[in-house]
Amino acid sequence: MTIFLNLSFFHSIVFCLKMNLKLIRTWILSFLMSLGIMHHSRTRKISHLIFILALYASIALFGYKEYAVSIVILYTLIMIIWTLYERRSLFQTYINMYYIKKDNALVLKPWTPKWKEEFENEKDRLNKIILFKWKHIFHQELSPDGIIHIGSTSIENIAFAKPIHDLALAITTEHVPKEFCEDLRKAGYKYVGAAPHTLSCQDHWFFNITPQNEIDTKGYGFDLHVLLPSVHQWLRDIINFCQYLTEHPIDRNKYSSLKSEIAQTETDIHSYAMKKKKLVFMLLEKSREWAKTK
C-alpha cells in the first residue's frame, strides 16, 4: 500500500512537470487570488488551503488534465462571488464614507493643548451614556475606563494634524451588541461600517459623529473606532506609534514635515493618506521596537 501511494505521488509529480506553463500559471494565479480575497479568518484560510490542494491533487492523480483549467477557473469564480457576498458590508462602508466625506477638504491645523481638553470632554460625555452599562465588555488593558485617544491629534506637540479626533474603544465580545450600537446612536455616533483601511469586515467598526459643516463651525470633530479582539494588536500598535512620536521629536518633526509637504499639493484626504503610508509604516516598525524596550 505504501509503495502504491509513493508511486502515485511520484506519478503526480511527473504529471505536474509535464503540464504546460499555461496550466501551472492558472493554478498558481487562481490559488493566490482565492486565498488573497478570502475572509480574514485563519480557519477559513487553512480550510481553503487544504481544499484547493486536494482539488489540484485530484486533477493530477485522476488525469483530468483536459478539464483542469476549467475546473480551477470555475472554483476561483465561485470563491470570488462568495467572498464578494461576504464583503458586501465593506462595499456599503465605502458608499457611506463617500457621502459623509465627499465634500471634505483636507485641512491641517497646528497642534494645540485644547485638543486634549476636547477629547476629555467628549470622553466624559460618552462615558455617561455607555460606561456603566457596557464596562463589562471593555478590554481591561486597552479600554479600562472607556474610549482612548489615538491618531495625530493625540500626539503632543505635533506640528500639524487634521482637527478630527480619532477615538478608540476595545471590546472583548466577538460581535458588537445591537444595543451597544443603539446607545452610541443616542450619543450621536452614526454607524458607518467596517473601517475603510481594513479588509476585515467584522472586527473594526467605524462610527462618525461630526458632519463637515459642524467641523467648520466648531473647529474639531470626532470619529470612533470600535475594535473586536482580532484587531486589538492593531490598536496596541497605534497607541505605541502615537506615544513614540510624542517622546521622539526628531521622528515627530519628520512626520509633521511630510504631512505639511503633502498638504501643499493635495486636497483629497485619501490621496493624502496614501502618500504618508511609506513613512507611517517605517515609523510603526520603529515604534514596535521601541515598545519592546519599555
Side-chain angles (χ1 to χ4, degrees):
M1 183 67 176
T2 304
I3 295 174
F4 173 75
L5 290 174
N6 287 337
L7 285 173
S8 298
F9 181 70
F10 175 75
H11 288 154
S12 67
I13 293 174
V14 172
F15 176 82
C16 291
L17 291 175
K18 289 181 178 180
M19 287 189 298
N20 58 57
L21 289 176
K22 179 182 177 183
L23 181 57
I24 294 173
R25 284 198 300 267
T26 303
W27 281 22
I28 294 172
L29 182 61
S30 68
F31 176 78
L32 294 176
M33 284 180 61
S34 299
L35 189 63
I37 65 172
M38 279 215 40
H39 193 279
H40 62 283
S41 164
R42 182 180 300 177
T43 303
R44 293 195 189 186
K45 283 184 181 291
I46 292 173
S47 299
H48 169 68
L49 177 64
I50 294 170
F51 181 82
I52 202 167
L53 288 177
L55 176 65
Y56 292 171
S58 299
I59 292 172
L61 289 171
F62 297 109
Y64 296 134
K65 180 178 177 180
E66 64 271 26
Y67 306 113
V69 174
S70 299
I71 291 172
V72 170
I73 290 175
L74 177 62
Y75 178 72
T76 303
L77 289 174
I78 292 172
M79 289 300 304
I80 291 173
I81 293 170
W82 177 46
T83 305
L84 291 177
Y85 175 76
E86 277 205 328
R87 295 284 175 87
R88 63 193 184 280
S89 62
L90 183 63
F91 300 128
Q92 187 60 51
T93 297
Y94 279 105
I95 295 171
N96 293 342
M97 287 294 295
Y98 170 77
Y99 285 108
I100 290 173
K101 303 288 187 181
K102 65 176 181 177
D103 298 322
N104 287 17
L106 175 62
V107 176
L108 297 183
K109 292 190 176 182
W111 181 84
T112 169
K114 288 184 177 180
W115 284 348
K116 186 173 182 179
E117 181 183 343
E118 290 163 1
F119 161 72
E120 292 294 344
N121 290 338
E122 180 63 10
K123 179 177 180 178
D124 290 342
R125 186 188 76 86
L126 191 55
N127 274 350
K128 290 176 182 177
I129 300 171
I130 67 170
L131 184 61
F132 178 77
K133 183 177 179 180
W134 296 104
K135 189 174 182 178
H136 65 284
I137 69 170
F138 294 174
H139 192 278
Q140 291 302 305
E141 172 204 346
L142 297 172
S143 296
D145 60 346
I147 61 173
I148 60 174
H149 196 188
I150 61 173
S152 291
T153 60
S154 71
I155 303 170
E156 292 186 17
N157 296 310
I158 192 168
F160 299 99
K162 299 193 304 293
I164 302 176
H165 300 295
D166 281 293
L167 315 177
L169 181 61
I171 62 175
T172 56
T173 56
E174 293 299 321
H175 304 281
V176 180
K178 289 183 179 180
E179 289 185 17
F180 179 71
C181 291
E182 181 62 24
D183 286 342
L184 287 177
R185 188 191 65 78
K186 291 176 182 176
Y189 283 89
K190 177 182 177 182
Y191 171 64
V192 178
H197 59 270
T198 176
L199 291 179
S200 302
C201 294
Q202 299 298 332
D203 52 15
H204 188 153
W205 289 42
F206 186 68
F207 295 80
N208 174 267
I209 189 175
T210 318
Q212 182 63 39
N213 61 338
E214 288 188 24
I215 296 175
D216 294 337
T217 303
K218 296 167 61 176
Y220 63 91
F222 299 98
D223 288 334
L224 174 64
H225 307 257
V226 177
L227 305 160
L228 276 63
S230 56
V231 284
H232 285 177
Q233 186 56 49
W234 176 89
L235 181 56
R236 289 188 185 93
D237 288 343
I238 295 301
I239 292 170
N240 290 330
F241 174 81
C242 296
Q243 290 178 345
Y244 173 81
L245 291 183
T246 294
E247 298 183 25
H248 294 78
I250 294 177
D251 280 338
R252 182 175 69 237
N253 292 337
K254 185 185 299 184
Y255 184 50
S256 298
S257 297
L258 179 63
K259 288 158 72 79
S260 178
E261 180 183 325
I262 296 172
Q264 290 176 13
T265 57
E266 282 293 346
T267 58
D268 178 69
I269 293 177
H270 177 70
S271 299
Y272 164 78
M274 293 300 294
K275 290 184 177 181
K276 292 191 304 174
K277 186 173 287 189
K278 184 177 179 179
L279 179 60
V280 168
F281 284 159
M282 185 190 77
L283 294 175
L284 269 171
E285 283 302 315
K286 293 182 74 172
S287 66
R288 288 189 185 107
E289 293 303 315
W290 169 77
K292 293 176 183 177
T293 65
K294 288 198 299 180

